């Protein structure tokens, strides 16, 4: 089986050629744990979970590492407000993150290193970058010297000289050039910090990922993933740090980035307002619905996330669960699912192909591979068919359906009928008027 994947570094879809056929090394930037996970934070977790499942199906071993940022100015601020140590905040939100991701069918990576457990390794890496004359010390800070790294800007397609000369932003006076970034910074006595050769302080954000890749995977890895928003400066800086510490040319062979998640303009729910955290969404929708919604757009495209996407996803799952009547043990994952996934992780096509599978066993096995249809049909309908709609919501949707029909937008009208049907509301058109009742 040949996997093709888009590489941000070459700007092309490439045939995936691992460093070692026996063991794949993948690293993805993880969460900063100081608050509830936003649905946007769930997208990379679900996308790279899908890639992880696919790689595990092809290769004998996949080592997947996703870090946890547990020291950060936002965490410090949250802890200060509560007058608690940062570990109080980070433990709480790490646990919540894990619960949320489990609900979305996200498998745990093989390693989830925390920054606070890796300070010695980070200090060692900074020291090597300094020894290789790619960084300098100024005013208790250690800064990476961007001019020392020729390849800087290659991943994000930026011109290094332009970046250095064109900077109009006010430059901190401890920096030689605007583009230089912090490897280590001083902490006040009341801030979290560690003793280092450069004084009491804490690491800058970018260095943790370079250090953890080195510690848990080695100097060069196959795949490095994250959201598109991390390409610059975070991933650009990671490449500069790692190559400078190792005197090497290559850090990650394939850079894979997921697109943005936009919240749909409309309010998602009258009762809840604009739902944005995974926890709140899970109160209204099953984790499988949210997972399907996240995978229904190709990972590199922006997602328009909102109520209509969630309702469509719930509808698809209802239809699939209706076809399910057996266990999956002896079945194989359908080629109609694998082939699109092998082509740059085409999950929208894989999902639409699910509905074409006739054999219930193959359907179950194939959907499980996508992290879906994990329940029995009975469980699903028992859990997911309580009507939670208020009379006002129902009346409003009926009005929208009437308007759609007047405009001959029958697709929209059917979509609304399905949405109501999902909530156990049945419509009957009598004498040009629509009446409704709740199914028993
Ligand atoms: Zn990172």
């Amino acid at each position: 089986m040949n996997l093709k994947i888009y590489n941000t570094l070459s700007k092309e879809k490439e045939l995936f050629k691992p460093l070692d056929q026996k063991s794949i090394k993948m690293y993805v930037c993880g969460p900063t744990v100081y608050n509830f996970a936003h649905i946007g934070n769930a997208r990379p977790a679900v996308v790279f979970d899908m890639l992880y499942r696919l790689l595990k199906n092809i290769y004998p071993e996949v080592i997947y590492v996703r870090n946890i940022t547990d020291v950060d100015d936002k965490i410090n601020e949250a802890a200060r407000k509560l007058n608690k140590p940062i570990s109080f905040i980070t433990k709480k939100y790490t646990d919540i993150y894990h619960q949320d991701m489990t609900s979305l069918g996200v498998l745990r990576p093989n390693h989830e290193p925390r920054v606070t457990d890796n300070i010695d390794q980070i200090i060692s890496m900074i020291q090597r970058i300094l020894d290789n004359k790619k960084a300098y010390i100024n005013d208790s800070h250690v800064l990476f010297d961007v001019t020392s790294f020729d390849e800087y800007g290659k991943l994000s397609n930026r011109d290094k000289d332009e970046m250095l000369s064109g900077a109009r932003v006010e430059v901190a006076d401890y920096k030689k050039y605007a583009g230089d970034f912090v490897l280590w910074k001083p902490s006040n006595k009341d801030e979290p910090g560690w003793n280092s050769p450069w004084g009491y302080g804490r690491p800058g954000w970018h260095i943790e990922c370079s250090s953890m890749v080195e510690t848990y995977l080695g100097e060069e890895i196959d795949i490095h993933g994250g959201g598109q928003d991390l390409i610059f400066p975070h991933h650009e800086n990671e490449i500069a740090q790692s190559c400078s510490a190792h005197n090497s040319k290559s850090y990650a062979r394939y850079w894979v980035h997921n697109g943005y998640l936009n919240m749909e303009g409309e309010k998602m729910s009258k009762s809840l307002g604009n739902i944005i955290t995974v926890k709140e969404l899970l109160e209204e929708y099953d984790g499988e619905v949210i997972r399907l919604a996240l995978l229904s757009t190709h990972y590199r495209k922006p997602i328009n996330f909102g109520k209509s996407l969630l309702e469509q996803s719930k509808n698809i799952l209802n239809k699939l669960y209706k076809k399910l009547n057996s266990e999956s043990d002896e079945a194989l994952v359908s080629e109609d699912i694998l082939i699109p996934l092998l082509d740059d992780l085409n999950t929208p096509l894989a999902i639409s192909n699910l509905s074409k599978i006739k054999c219930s066993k193959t359907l179950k096995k194939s959907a499980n591979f996508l992290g879906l249809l994990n329940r029995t049909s009975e469980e699903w309908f028992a859990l997911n068919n309580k009507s939670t709609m208020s009379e006002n919501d129902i009346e409003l949707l009926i009005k929208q359906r009437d308007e759609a029909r007047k405009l001959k937008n029958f697709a929209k009208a059917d979509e609304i009928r399905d949405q109501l049907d999902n909530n156990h509301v049945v419509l009957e058109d009598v004498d040009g008027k629509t009446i409704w009742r709740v199914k028993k």
Side-chain angles (χ1 to χ4, degrees), residues 112-124:
E112 280 190 290
R114 291 155 210 261
V115 181
T116 54
D117 294 330
N118 283 270
I119 298 292
D120 289 348
Q121 293 88 329
I122 290 172
I123 288 174
S124 143

Side-chain angles (χ1 to χ4, degrees), residues 27-30 67 205-206 208-210 224-225 230 234-235 238:
Y27 183 91
V28 174
C29 296
N67 67 314
W205 173 41
H206 312 295
E208 69 184 65
C209 290
S210 283
H224 194 311
L230 299 182
H234 185 54
H235 290 162
E238 274 191 49

Side-chain angles (χ1 to χ4, degrees), residues 98-195:
H98 283 149
Q99 287 160 17
D100 286 349
M101 292 311 122
T102 301
S103 301
L104 302 188
V106 174
L107 304 173
R108 288 286 280 271
N110 303 85
H111 301 281
E112 280 190 290
R114 291 155 210 261
V115 181
T116 54
D117 294 330
N118 283 270
I119 298 292
D120 289 348
Q121 293 88 329
I122 290 172
I123 288 174
S124 143
M125 187 175 235
I126 296 173
Q127 189 59 59
R128 279 174 281 139
I129 297 172
L130 276 166
D131 293 345
N132 289 339
K133 310 230 172 326
K134 306 281 187 174
Y136 57 93
I137 304 165
N138 203 352
D139 201 9
S140 309
H141 291 70
V142 183
L143 291 131
F144 188 90
D145 176 2
V146 169
T147 59
S148 74
F149 190 66
D150 287 342
E151 306 267 275
Y152 197 76
K154 198 176 160 199
L155 180 73
S156 57
N157 234 353
R158 283 159 198 245
D159 184 88
K160 188 174 75 175
D161 296 331
E162 240 170 55
M163 274 190 278
L164 295 175
S165 64
R168 300 264 183 280
V169 286
E170 209 168 297
V171 182
D173 51 12
Y174 50 79
K175 285 189 186 180
K176 277 198 222 165
Y177 300 99
D180 293 351
F181 57 90
V182 169
L183 300 175
W184 187 266
K185 59 185 168 189
S187 290
N188 293 326
K189 282 200 186 69
D190 58 345
E191 285 176 328
W194 292 264
N195 292 319

